[in-house]
Amino acid sequence: MFSTGTDVGPRAREAVAAHTQEGLVYQVCRWCHTASFRTLLCPVCASSDLESERSDGHGVVIRSNVVNRYSRVMRNESLVRFPEGFVYRCRIVGAAPHLVNVGDRVRPVGGRTSVAGEVVLELCDPPGSAGWY
């Protein structure tokens, strides 16, 4: 086995193992207590002293876009605000891309991850039937 030069300590192993369970693992700065997601340094004070925390993964959509670049299939990319205090770009599945609105509540999809490493969420309250206008 060869070394890549990066240290894979216990925190990195916890983050990898956490993706197998439902929810998200985020980091909290030990100096200024700012929450961040998938960063190496604190976005406020640039400290590298981050502690891993677990979130249930529920959040609220604050911006929603329908995208079809690099493929023929349309998908939804949304900015989601999590109650822990961070905002992250996620993919919303389980509903037509144009039916995801600002203010919709979302939750993690159990046992499903994206090949590209994006966070995949689904709507807590799916949209009504096709007859609603």
Side-chain angles (χ1 to χ4, degrees):
M1 185 121 179
F2 63 91
S3 174
T4 60
T6 59
D7 181 28
V8 181
R11 288 188 195 156
R13 283 189 216 109
E14 289 172 6
V16 171
H19 286 290
T20 60
Q21 301 173 2
E22 192 170 327
L24 300 172
V25 174
Y26 66 99
Q27 295 84 26
V28 176
C29 178
R30 291 186 187 180
W31 290 93
C32 67
H33 304 289
T34 301
S36 60
F37 187 66
R38 291 189 179 172
T39 59
L40 297 174
L41 298 174
C42 173
V44 174
C45 68
S47 170
S48 63
D49 193 9
L50 302 174
E51 182 177 271
S52 294
E53 297 282 332
R54 177 164 278 298
S55 166
D56 63 355
H58 288 74
V60 176
V61 175
I62 60 171
R63 185 174 181 185
S64 179
N65 291 324
V66 177
V67 187
N68 67 343
R69 62 179 170 250
Y70 309 122
S71 70
R72 294 182 180 168
V73 179
M74 292 189 337
R75 65 185 184 278
N76 182 283
E77 288 184 358
S78 298
L79 287 178
V80 177
R81 181 178 312 276
F82 293 93
E84 291 78 18
F86 59 91
V87 175
Y88 199 72
R89 184 177 56 91
C90 305
R91 192 172 79 172
I92 310 296
V93 297
H98 65 281
L99 294 178
V100 178
N101 298 313
V102 173
D104 286 345
R105 294 178 308 132
V106 292
R107 63 178 173 239
V109 177
R112 188 162 172 200
T113 58
S114 169
V115 175
E118 14 179 49
V119 177
V120 180
L121 302 172
E122 67 181 351
L123 294 175
C124 288
D125 303 318
S129 65
W132 279 65
Y133 293 105

